[in-house]
Amino acid sequence: MNAAPFILTLNVDGLEIPVEVTRKRVKNLNLRVRSDGTVTLSIPLRTPHAYAQAFLDRKAAWIAERVRRSAEQEALKTPDGEAPGYIPLWGAPVPREAALGEHIGIDDLYRAEVTRVLPDVAARIEQIIGVHAARWSVRTMKTRWGSCTPKTGAIRINARLAAYPPECLEFVVAHELVHLLEPSHNARFHALLDEFYPENRRVSQLLKRPAAE
């Protein structure tokens, strides 16, 4: 007889992922991300909580990527469960054929869209905050919406922000620029972000939901 399941939680760059863990008569740890984005882990009967948590922490990037993909697919499904030919673009579902055009795929489209709008967004928010990045780049990243290297002034922005409302890109740009003033996520960082981008808490919640919800 299996033991009652318990929940362990992963926190990956603001994405909180509950994992249902069940002790079973198995030899190995078996991790599964279901199509609806829920995550389960089966572990041998005598496996300690700490060991299971450490295993999940090592798999965090892989789990977060698949949870986000599942959430995006679920958000696009019709009531009868079928996935229509739509993709989320700047916070709205757009017919796949019209959105993609000559782009090879969704990641290619998102990268082109963020690359197109980023210079104006960055320039506007740089002026507000009073700092300037030395270099901007757009990448498809698995677990981060953006990253900053304060020593070099380089900022990287996730191309998949093109799936979300434009204010989400603004928030991530502001967040990373504030890191040029304060590298860590301490009280000063949050005070500066509140000052320069007062909507940051509300907008950050949008990034925890499926795109085009």
Side-chain angles (χ1 to χ4, degrees), residues 13-15 145 164 167-168 171-172 175 193 197 199-209:
D13 288 339
L15 181 65
W145 292 115
Y164 288 81
E167 60 188 334
C168 292
F171 158 67
V172 174
H175 181 111
L193 189 57
Y197 198 82
E199 292 291 300
N200 69 87
R201 288 177 172 79
R202 177 185 64 81
V203 178
S204 68
Q205 294 302 309
L206 298 178
L207 291 173
K208 296 180 182 179
R209 305 172 187 171

Side-chain angles (χ1 to χ4, degrees), residues 4-17:
F6 59 93
I7 301 297
L8 293 178
T9 303
L10 279 175
N11 288 284
V12 186
D13 288 339
L15 181 65
E16 187 172 285
I17 305 172

Side-chain angles (χ1 to χ4, degrees), residues 134-167:
R135 183 174 71 256
W136 293 91
S137 60
V138 178
R139 300 180 182 178
T140 300
M141 295 184 280
K142 292 183 177 182
T143 63
R144 296 183 177 184
W145 292 115
S147 64
C148 174
T149 305
K151 288 184 178 180
T152 64
I155 293 178
R156 295 156 292 281
I157 300 295
N158 195 333
R160 293 182 181 176
L161 283 164
Y164 288 81
E167 60 188 334

Side-chain angles (χ1 to χ4, degrees), residues 15 35-36 42 74 82 93 99 101 107 111 117 121 135 143 155-156 171 174 181 198 212:
L15 181 65
S35 60
D36 63 357
S42 299
E74 286 293 310
E82 293 298 321
D107 284 346
R111 191 178 302 107
V117 304
V121 173
R135 183 174 71 256
T143 63
I155 293 178
R156 295 156 292 281
F171 158 67
L181 299 174

Side-chain angles (χ1 to χ4, degrees), residues 31-40 62-64 66-67 70:
L31 178 64
R32 180 185 177 191
V33 179
R34 297 192 181 108
S35 60
D36 63 357
T38 58
V39 185
T40 63
W62 182 90
I63 294 169
R66 277 148 187 81
V67 167
S70 297

